[in-house]
Amino acid sequence: MSIISKDIQKAIQLLTDEQLVAIPTETVYGLAGNIYSEKAIKSIFSTKKRPFFNPLIVHISSIDVLATIVAHIPKKAKLLATTFWPGAMTLVLKKNAKIPDLITAGKDTVAVRVPNHPVTLALLKQLPFPLAAPSANPFGSISPTKPVHVANYFKNDIQMVLDGGACKNGIESTIIGFENEEPVIYRLGALALEDIEAVVGKISIKNKKENSPDAPGMLARHYAPATKTFLVDDVSLEVKNHPKKKIGVLVFKTSLNNKNLTEIILSENNSMQEAASKLYTSLHVLDTLNLDVIIAERFPDSGLGKSINDRLQRATFSL
Ligand code: AMP
Ligand code: MG
């Protein structure tokens, strides 16, 4: 029997019993457990094979719950939360004493957001505890944007994937921390930098620490397909470097019109939003076709294009 189900009551039961449930969000599917259950949190790490130094994102039902999680809310954090929640933005704030160290990897800060997905919001509203939920993929592999991706990854290791359809945004949340009360981007993501700057002004980006990363999304190789993948400006040119190979290409909007290639066009309508929502699904598909190489096209460096390039960079051997 499939573990994919729409039964919210069953999800509530499992989570209350300290089990894990994969949940839909607008970014990617999350592997969720009660933040106050040591058993549940430990099994998130073991199921994902995620190293304990990688902290988890806490998902809450509304901004009203924030005060029960954090010790201090900078003015600009409040402004961002009221503007963008529910939404694809995670805030990293000083934690309060109730938040277990396992969640935060021993840090004195906790990552938190209100996801914008009707099914998961309904679930969170009925639970007396928030949910810790990192992406529902084994550590280092492509993030899941459909229930079937999660089911294929974990098979019998989890009991349920709560079916909320395909993820609308399709890449992870934008993570924002605070240094001296000022916001700093720790991870580019589904909420575009320009939209954030329109609310709080110019903001610096610190997402390139390779050792002891504040956000594991920062690790140089992450979100990666098993097939060797390249990121280039000119895909046709790169194709010539792989004669006699089975090649998959991932392009933004324009077909290469080359019958010898397996091609996925992310958005014929020239929409970065559509491209972001299809990015991981397309990498999943190309990765299952037994290709020798995948060649991905670099996006324009603005709006969601910046976030898409960040993910592609981490998926690839860029040239
Ligand atoms: P994932 O959902 O798998 O992408 O993982 C959750 C993300 O939240 C990771 O990239 C974490 O680094 C980030 N995160 C969680 N807690 C913190 C924290 N206290 N400081 C910085 N980043 C965090
Ligand atoms: Mg992840």
Side-chain angles (χ1 to χ4, degrees), residues 222-249:
H222 202 70
Y223 318 107
T227 314
K228 191 166 186 175
T229 302
F230 294 87
L231 174 62
V232 298
D233 292 315
D234 187 333
V235 177
S236 306
L237 204 63
E238 181 60 25
V239 165
K240 296 194 181 110
N241 293 333
H242 305 273
K244 301 203 182 91
K245 297 277 195 234
K246 277 184 285 170
I247 301 175
V249 298

Side-chain angles (χ1 to χ4, degrees), residues 67-214:
T68 69
I69 308 285
V70 304
H72 168 65
I73 307 175
K75 253 204 190 110
K76 287 186 180 175
K78 180 101 190 267
L79 177 60
L80 286 166
T82 49
T83 307
F84 294 115
W85 281 351
M89 175 193 69
T90 297
L91 298 179
V92 175
L93 302 171
K94 281 270 173 300
K95 83 178 194 81
N96 71 21
K98 274 173 45 194
I99 300 297
D101 286 337
L102 260 179
I103 302 261
T104 65
K107 289 168 181 289
D108 64 351
T109 53
V110 60
V112 57
R113 82 178 184 104
V114 180
N116 189 14
H117 192 293
V119 171
T120 286
L121 281 175
L123 174 68
L124 285 168
K125 286 202 167 82
Q126 292 178 66
L127 289 170
F129 46 80
L131 294 173
S135 53
N137 54 315
F139 182 69
S141 54
I142 308 167
S143 292
T145 54
K146 291 182 176 175
V148 66
H149 297 155
V150 184
N152 287 343
Y153 274 144
F154 294 120
K155 301 207 164 72
N156 302 321
D157 296 345
I158 59 171
Q159 293 186 49
M160 180 176 179
V161 181
L162 180 59
D163 186 353
C167 302
K168 250 185 13 228
N169 291 358
I171 58 173
E172 293 82 354
S173 60
T174 303
I175 300 182
I176 303 177
F178 289 82
E179 295 178 3
N180 304 317
E181 302 285 296
E182 286 300 313
V184 175
I185 301 269
Y186 287 165
R187 176 175 77 184
L188 293 165
L191 181 64
L193 183 62
E194 288 86 340
D195 293 343
I196 297 163
E197 290 188 331
V199 175
V200 291
K202 192 88 193 131
I203 190 166
S204 60
I205 304 178
K206 287 198 183 169
N207 70 339
K208 292 243 156 63
K209 265 187 239 160
E210 303 297 355
N211 306 313
S212 175
D214 275 340

Side-chain angles (χ1 to χ4, degrees), residues 235 239 245-251 255-265 282-296:
V235 177
V239 165
K245 297 277 195 234
K246 277 184 285 170
I247 301 175
V249 298
L250 187 63
V251 297
S255 173
L256 299 183
N257 286 318
N258 181 340
K259 292 213 173 58
N260 299 320
L261 308 170
T262 304
E263 178 181 79
I264 294 183
I265 303 172
S282 305
L283 284 172
H284 274 284
V285 169
L286 291 173
D287 206 21
T288 56
L289 296 179
N290 277 321
L291 300 163
D292 297 316
V293 286
I294 298 170
I295 304 172

